[in-house]
Amino acid sequence: MTIGFHSEQNSVNVLEISGYAFGYLSSIFYLSSRFPQLYKNFKRQSTEGTSYLLFALAMLGNGTYGLSLIVILPALKSSKSVFILNHLAWLIGSLGVLFLDFFISAQFILYRKHRCTELNLLALKKIPEVEPLLCEDEDL
């Protein structure tokens, strides 16, 4: 009878460990998702084509998710450290991406000023007219 109990306990441990492993893997992928956008914005010195609403909503979602895990801590009757360890992968994912999204927000602010000055310079330049607005049609 103890052999069956040990095999059930081992299968539960394997499932629990694999769940945590997938949680950390998910956290790594989620954190890594922001670096290509940060790098692209930096290289172009622009955030053109990037939706700030996407990042703002992601920041709200990640912030409230991370906050929900932290707010529950005082109400826990069990060990708080065990709770944090059990949810650490998801805390790293949500709060880590929130941290990186603040850098993307900073890029929106910094590069907006560059874009405005570039647009003003283009408006000041006189671009010669290539085709006349009115032309005589000989075919009519």
Side-chain angles (χ1 to χ4, degrees), residues 7-21:
S7 68
E8 282 180 28
Q9 189 176 13
N10 286 341
S11 66
V12 170
N13 285 342
V14 168
L15 286 175
E16 192 173 334
I17 289 171
S18 63
Y20 291 131

Side-chain angles (χ1 to χ4, degrees), residues 64-73 76 83 87 90-91 94:
T64 54
Y65 179 73
L67 194 61
S68 72
L69 291 176
I70 293 170
V71 167
I72 200 169
L73 284 176
L76 287 177
F83 178 83
H87 294 86
W90 293 272
L91 278 169
S94 66

Side-chain angles (χ1 to χ4, degrees), residues 22-32 88-94 97:
F22 282 121
Y24 281 103
L25 187 62
S26 168
S27 182
I28 290 168
F29 286 146
Y30 196 34
L31 281 169
S32 300
L88 189 60
W90 293 272
L91 278 169
I92 290 170
S94 66
V97 169

Side-chain angles (χ1 to χ4, degrees), residues 42-121:
F42 175 74
K43 289 297 273 183
R44 293 185 312 156
Q45 297 290 298
S46 171
T47 55
E48 189 175 336
T50 306
S51 170
Y52 184 71
L53 184 60
L54 172 102
F55 289 99
L57 292 174
M59 288 172 72
L60 287 172
N62 286 323
T64 54
Y65 179 73
L67 194 61
S68 72
L69 291 176
I70 293 170
V71 167
I72 200 169
L73 284 176
L76 287 177
K77 294 179 181 168
S78 61
S79 173
K80 291 171 180 46
S81 59
V82 170
F83 178 83
I84 290 173
L85 285 174
N86 287 342
H87 294 86
L88 189 60
W90 293 272
L91 278 169
I92 290 170
S94 66
L95 298 180
V97 169
L98 179 64
F99 179 73
L100 293 175
D101 284 345
F102 280 117
F103 284 105
I104 290 177
S105 295
Q107 286 181 329
F108 271 95
I109 293 167
L110 287 170
Y111 300 147
R112 179 184 60 199
K113 293 177 183 176
H114 289 133
R115 191 177 83 216
C116 289
T117 56
E118 287 174 7
L119 290 176
N120 290 339
L121 288 175

